[in-house]
Amino acid sequence: MAEPKTKYDRQLRIWGEQGQAALEKASICLLNCGPTGSETLKNLVLGGVGSITVIDGSKVEAGDLGNNFMLDESCLGQSKAKCVCSFLQELNDAVKAKFIEEYPGELIETNPSFFSQFTLVVATQLVESSMLKLDRICRDANVKLIFARSYGLTGLVRISVKEHTVVDSKPDHFLDDLRLNNPWPELKQFAESIDLKALDPVAHKHIPYVVILVKMAEEWAKAHGGSLPSTRDEKKAFKDLLKAGMLAFDEDNFKEAVEASFKVFAPLGISPDLQQIINDSCTEVHSNSSNFWVLVAALKEFVANEGGGEAPLEGSIPDMTSSTELYVNLQKIYQAKAEADFLVIEQRARNILKGIGKDLDSIPKTMIKSFCKNARKLKVCRYRSIEDEFNNPSLSELQKYLTDEECSIAMGFYILLRAADRFAANYNSFPGQFEGAMDEDISRLKTTAVGLLSDLGCNGSILTEDLINEMCRFGASELHAVAAFIGGIASQEVIKLITEQFVPMSGTFIFNGIDQKSQLLVL
């Protein structure tokens, strides 16, 4: 068997060894192993998840061979859970795989405590009544839950957890933490030790732009009553000041300073998003508080005291035109400040742990280091329960989605998926599932959808005839292409939740296969 670092090389570059270790410890439960569930689990097995348990009580029929690539003719008449589990095990023998021949709906009803043993449950193709019950069970047990469903040319993915905290959110665009507008004493002294006017031309063009901007910002502030550029004209004047400091047209370091000058104009202190997190009531920690909230409580104290309104320094600097000596010295200054901030946060965290009666070493140093490095990028995600969303959706959002041209079809499918479950509960089959009753099913589905809209407070709102007809034409089928897409989205969100990296999506993801579009609905 290949060594883990070789086997998982590409993904280790994305979520690192910590993320991979979290995956390898995770236990996943899959409910229903049709194409949507099988495709979801396939991605996770290939990624090296620790263990999987497949729950499905059905037998393999001829129709399953046309949409599930993890079944073949030799599987006909056998347990679907057993066959899919066997195929998945072949993909990665490092993953522990087992199956249970039981219908998920019955398991939810008869053995709710069964789900508490898992890190995360992936529930596919569940009807509304089972979704509601499973959501309550997983929330009570603090088990992460993802719903995934494909239905003809549409499908959905919905995360449901009480709270999910992210330290390493990996934002696409984020301002470097250089403190150019608020340098600490060591950085200021380093900048002051370099006299730009006394340097020869060669040395002049190898001064890091960080030093240039710190010096120029201080010079500007002295001439403007301690204020940094804020208006458009002032920012332009500041850039002109930088350009005037060039001795030759080919000084790339000064060009970098002009391009990075917006970092000087950035507002001081922490962002409103981080301020909201440190003001959260969860920072009033107790013995049951998570490590995340203990560290946020330590961060709150740091910002108010040693940080002077700032988060701990990240400690890294970007590449820039510079002599090796100056770059290394500058790097050491940033690293030393980051280390000093880390030590303060660590001590504050240990004091907080002692105060709430927890083991002082219960939070490892590596976790505190990572927290300090990513303190400006923390995220807290909270999700409404399925029951709350279904019974009390935001009426204004609902009406906006129904009338918005970009969102109306996705919203229509959201309503019709729920209406299809009501239809099935009333008529013991899904609309269009059997031949010969299409016209009657269209009429019944329309009536059901109108009733659902009325229950949600959208009296008078209607869905297009074409969309209702299409929903009936789908006949509750699982098309492999749609199932694979929905499974890909679901597995991506599973990895976010398990590794606690990247920010999971909020709301309900709806795929519109008719127009090849997708929409995130937050209700």
Side-chain angles (χ1 to χ4, degrees), residues 18 342 350 363-372:
Q18 279 186 317
F342 154 72
R350 304 293 181 216
I363 306 179
K365 281 195 173 190
T366 53
M367 182 180 290
I368 303 174
K369 282 246 181 192
S370 177
F371 182 89
C372 290

Side-chain angles (χ1 to χ4, degrees), residues 199-454:
L199 296 173
D200 64 70
V202 174
H204 195 265
K205 65 170 62 174
H206 287 92
I207 300 300
Y209 79 74
V210 166
V211 172
I212 296 170
L213 287 174
V214 169
K215 291 180 74 67
M216 292 296 191
E218 186 175 8
E219 184 180 324
W220 175 281
K222 284 179 180 177
H224 294 82
S227 299
L228 290 171
S230 58
T231 66
R232 185 175 179 179
D233 288 341
E234 286 177 342
K235 291 174 183 178
K236 183 180 182 301
F238 183 76
K239 290 181 181 180
D240 290 339
L241 185 65
L242 291 169
K243 292 173 185 175
M246 296 175 68
L247 298 181
F249 72 93
D250 62 343
E251 291 192 311
D252 290 337
N253 56 337
F254 274 82
K255 292 175 184 177
E256 289 172 352
V258 172
E259 291 173 358
S261 60
F262 68 93
K263 297 174 184 178
V264 173
F265 315 145
L268 296 172
I270 61 176
S271 69
D273 287 346
L274 182 55
Q275 186 68 56
Q276 187 175 355
I277 291 173
I278 67 173
N279 287 342
D280 196 287
S281 60
C282 289
T283 55
E284 300 297 323
V285 293
H286 46 77
S287 58
N288 293 324
S289 294
S290 67
N291 288 345
F292 176 87
W293 286 111
V294 170
L295 290 174
V296 173
L299 172 64
K300 184 174 185 177
E301 293 180 2
F302 176 89
V303 171
N305 297 284
E306 297 87 356
E310 298 278 4
L313 190 75
E314 290 177 23
S316 58
I317 59 175
D319 290 336
M320 62 189 75
T321 302
S322 171
S323 67
T324 302
E325 181 185 1
L326 286 176
Y327 186 85
V328 170
N329 288 338
L330 188 63
Q331 197 170 48
K332 287 179 179 177
I333 290 168
Y334 274 87
Q335 289 172 347
K337 169 65 172 167
E339 179 67 16
D341 287 353
F342 154 72
L343 291 173
V344 173
I345 292 278
E346 181 186 29
Q347 187 56 53
R348 286 195 172 276
R350 304 293 181 216
N351 292 341
I352 290 169
L353 288 169
K354 183 179 180 180
I356 59 177
K358 295 183 77 170
D359 181 2
L360 269 62
D361 296 318
S362 59
I363 306 179
K365 281 195 173 190
T366 53
M367 182 180 290
I368 303 174
K369 282 246 181 192
S370 177
F371 182 89
C372 290
K373 183 179 178 182
N374 295 288
R376 297 187 306 137
K377 306 166 190 172
L378 304 178
K379 294 290 181 183
V380 176
C381 308
R382 292 180 175 125
Y383 299 84
R384 296 180 72 184
S385 68
I386 297 294
E387 184 174 20
D388 190 28
E389 178 184 316
F390 282 1
N391 294 337
N392 304 293
S394 168
L395 188 57
S396 61
E397 290 298 306
L398 194 58
Q399 291 172 334
K400 182 186 80 174
Y401 289 137
L402 284 168
T403 55
D404 187 292
E405 190 175 339
E406 287 293 313
C407 307
S408 60
I409 294 180
M411 190 67 234
F413 276 135
Y414 175 91
I415 295 295
L416 286 171
L417 283 167
R418 292 192 59 193
D421 287 344
R422 283 195 179 188
F423 184 107
N426 291 330
Y427 303 109
N428 296 317
S429 68
F430 287 97
Q433 193 169 7
F434 299 111
E435 294 181 13
M438 184 65 77
D439 290 342
E440 186 178 13
D441 282 0
I442 289 172
S443 176
R444 285 174 170 175
L445 181 60
K446 182 177 180 179
T447 302
T448 305
V450 169
L452 176 58
L453 284 166
S454 178

Side-chain angles (χ1 to χ4, degrees), residues 27-42 44-45 51-57 68 70 80-81 84-85 88 98-100 102-104 107 114-115 118 120-126 134 145-148 487 490 494:
S27 57
I28 306 293
C29 175
L30 173 69
L31 303 185
N32 290 316
C33 60
T36 307
S38 299
E39 289 291 336
T40 304
L41 219 49
K42 175 200 73 178
L44 298 173
V45 166
S51 65
I52 59 170
T53 302
V54 180
I55 316 290
D56 197 311
N68 195 330
M70 285 160 229
K80 190 185 291 184
V84 168
C85 190
L88 290 170
K98 67 177 182 178
F99 66 92
I100 296 174
E102 189 166 352
Y103 289 102
L107 186 63
F114 170 82
F115 299 99
F118 300 103
L120 186 145
V121 175
V122 180
T124 67
Q125 306 305 102
L126 289 189
L134 181 62
L145 175 62
I146 289 186
F147 293 105
V494 169

